[in-house]
């Protein structure tokens, strides 16, 4: 059976648990040699009947499934459902809600919510170093939900929701390349500059709007200001690219997700960043199967417990 390229093919393909394991093993150990996630031994043997690997060393978890050491660890949800959910998250342009996952995959909404967050955890890593050449910088205000919130609860959200109940997201887009986005406390130089230093190479040309904070940035960048009304007139100096990212982000947040707790906002932002950075372009004609494979390739080494996710010690997801 060929590797899936559409959702329908993916559902059929991953309905077979052995095929799920083979697909994940191939992604995790591309040279074909399984490695014990506990001690690193490479001479482990596969017990097909139990769908487990057996390590020759004596240590806890010397028998391990494909889930050990990945975002699936300790999850009783079958891989067929995990992989279908990952397919949806990787490929639905405006995002997919926990209610949709709940209905499509017959898991509880709470479980679906937890699955979504575990997958989002691995979408944030682009591992690609700093942005350079020409980088568009822009901020956007997201949400407003927090303004109806009780003061005591709002204070827990931290300063990111300080301004009229809206979060400030700083977007950075290398022209013709990747986008990064970070939630910042406010639109001050103190909040903006360290993020730029972390993500944008010295010597890069940055394009911003006329917001005064940018005029006072250090001279590590070549700074060009875009006056919005004139953006189409001036050659190449425009922030249209980042505007596209904002509309994608807002469409997802307004349309797909009924409510986003401010505490989780950064995960939704990362999800849209992943989709934007891995969208099909002429130079990079990724299809749905490629995008899915990218998500799968990052499952190792990431884990998130329900407790970590919610800050609640007593909550159990399943
Ligand atoms: Zn071992």
């Amino acid at each position: 059976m060929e590797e899936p390229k559409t959702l329908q093919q993916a559902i059929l393909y991953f309905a077979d648990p052995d095929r799920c394991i083979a697909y994940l093993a191939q992604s995790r150990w591309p040279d074909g040699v399984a490695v014990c996630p506990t001690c690193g031994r490479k001479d482990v043997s596969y017990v097909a009947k139990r769908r487990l690997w057996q390590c020759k060393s004596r240590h806890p978890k010397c028998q391990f499934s494909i889930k050990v050491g990945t975002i699936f660890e300790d999850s009783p949800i079958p891989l067929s459902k995990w992989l279908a959910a990952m397919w949806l998250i990787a490929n639905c342009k405006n995002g997919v809600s926990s209610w949709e996952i709940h209905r499509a995959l017959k898991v509880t909404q709470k479980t679906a919510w937890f699955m979504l967050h575990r997958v989002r955890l691995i979408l944030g890593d682009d591992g690609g170093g700093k942005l350079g050449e020409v980088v568009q910088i822009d901020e956007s205000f997201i949400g407003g939900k927090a303004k109806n919130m009780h003061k005591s609860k709002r204070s827990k959200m931290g300063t990111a929701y300080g301004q009229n109940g809206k979060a400030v997201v700083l977007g950075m887009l290398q022209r013709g390349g990747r986008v990064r986005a970070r939630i910042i406390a406010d639109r001050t130089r103190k909040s903006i500059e360290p993020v730029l230093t972390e993500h944008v190479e010295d010597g890069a040309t940055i394009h911003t709007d006329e917001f005064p904070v940018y005029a006072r940035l250090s001279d590590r960048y070549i700074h060009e200001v875009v006056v919005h009304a004139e953006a189409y007139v001036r050659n190449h100096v425009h922030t249209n690219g980042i505007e596209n990212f904002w509309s994608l982000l807002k469409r997802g947040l307004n349309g797909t997700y009924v409510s986003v707790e401010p505490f989780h906002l950064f995960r939704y932002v990362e999800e849209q960043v992943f989709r934007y950075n891995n969208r099909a372009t002429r130079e990079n004609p990724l299809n749905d199967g490629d995008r899915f494979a990218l998500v799968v390739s990052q499952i190792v080494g990431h884990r998130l417990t329900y407790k970590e996710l919610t800050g609640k010690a007593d909550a159990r997801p399943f």
Side-chain angles (χ1 to χ4, degrees):
M1 202 167 175
E2 236 183 279
E3 281 191 7
K5 291 194 177 64
T6 65
L7 173 62
Q8 193 191 17
Q9 289 171 359
I11 300 281
L12 290 172
Y13 189 88
F14 295 119
D16 176 350
D18 289 316
R19 218 179 272 138
C20 293
I21 292 170
Y23 185 94
L24 292 171
Q26 168 65 32
S27 176
R28 188 173 182 174
W29 302 300
D31 58 3
V33 181
V35 181
C36 173
T38 305
C39 72
R41 273 183 86 138
K42 291 184 168 180
D43 55 350
V44 296
S45 49
Y46 187 61
V47 188
K49 215 166 75 182
R50 304 193 54 211
R51 297 189 172 117
L52 293 172
W53 281 268
Q54 174 74 54
C55 177
K56 293 187 174 69
S57 298
R58 280 180 168 271
H59 56 63
K61 297 184 189 171
C62 62
Q63 285 195 328
F64 58 94
S65 75
I66 191 74
K67 287 178 171 176
V68 173
T70 74
I71 60 161
F72 312 130
E73 186 159 350
D74 298 334
S75 163
I77 303 294
L79 290 171
S80 57
K81 295 192 181 196
W82 267 114
L83 294 175
M86 286 170 77
W87 187 280
L88 291 169
I89 297 163
N91 293 310
C92 292
K93 265 214 174 77
N94 296 338
V96 55
S97 74
S98 55
W99 289 101
E100 287 167 294
I101 300 266
H102 151 68
R103 281 192 297 270
L105 302 180
K106 302 266 185 297
V107 293
T108 67
Q109 184 266 335
K110 201 175 174 186
T111 294
W113 181 87
F114 183 62
M115 292 168 83
L116 274 169
H117 274 301
R118 274 205 194 184
V119 176
R120 286 193 185 106
L121 179 75
I122 65 178
L123 296 179
D125 280 358
D126 76 1
K130 290 187 178 188
L131 306 175
E133 296 171 35
V134 178
V135 184
Q136 302 173 351
I137 312 289
D138 196 18
E139 319 93 61
S140 187
F141 294 92
I142 305 286
K145 198 171 163 277
K147 66 173 176 257
N148 302 322
M149 208 173 268
H150 187 264
K151 206 166 60 187
S152 65
K153 196 171 178 199
R154 201 194 301 183
S155 67
K156 266 192 253 165
M157 303 301 171
T159 48
Y161 266 69
Q163 297 196 335
N164 307 319
K166 286 183 184 286
V168 187
V169 182
L170 183 70
M172 298 155 280
L173 173 65
Q174 178 167 340
R175 197 160 67 198
R178 291 167 296 147
V179 73
R180 298 263 173 83
R182 289 291 180 275
I183 294 165
I184 55 174
D186 50 43
R187 295 176 86 201
T188 60
R189 179 179 166 179
K190 206 173 130 229
S191 298
I192 290 173
E193 195 156 20
V195 182
L196 294 188
T197 308
E198 189 186 339
H199 295 284
V200 182
E201 275 172 10
D202 287 3
T205 299
I206 59 169
H207 288 178
T208 71
D209 61 20
E210 60 273 41
F211 188 54
V213 157
Y214 293 116
R216 298 196 305 273
L217 287 179
S218 71
D219 51 10
R220 68 173 77 225
Y221 307 114
I222 301 156
H223 182 206
E224 294 177 17
V225 172
V226 184
V227 179
H228 273 292
E230 298 169 13
Y232 294 93
V233 183
R234 294 187 56 191
N235 280 351
H236 302 298
V237 184
H238 56 70
T239 50
N240 283 334
I242 196 88
E243 298 295 341
N244 291 344
F245 173 70
W246 296 135
S247 63
L248 192 72
L249 178 66
K250 287 179 179 175
R251 210 157 54 221
L253 284 167
N254 297 337
T256 308
Y257 305 111
V258 182
S259 61
V260 175
E261 291 287 340
F263 172 66
H264 296 297
L265 179 65
F266 79 98
R267 297 191 193 283
Y268 294 87
V269 172
E270 294 292 7
E271 183 186 332
Q272 281 312 343
V273 166
F274 172 84
R275 266 194 228 102
Y276 185 90
N277 288 341
N278 296 294
R279 72 199 184 284
T281 60
R282 207 171 345 137
E283 305 79 52
N284 196 17
L286 287 176
N287 65 37
D288 286 6
D290 299 328
R291 240 182 319 274
F292 171 75
L294 271 171
V295 177
V296 170
S297 72
Q298 297 182 61
I299 59 165
V300 181
H302 290 281
R303 254 189 88 200
L304 187 64
T305 65
Y306 194 74
K307 192 176 146 186
E308 285 162 340
L309 193 58
T310 59
K312 289 179 207 153
D314 53 345
R316 291 299 308 160
F318 305 115

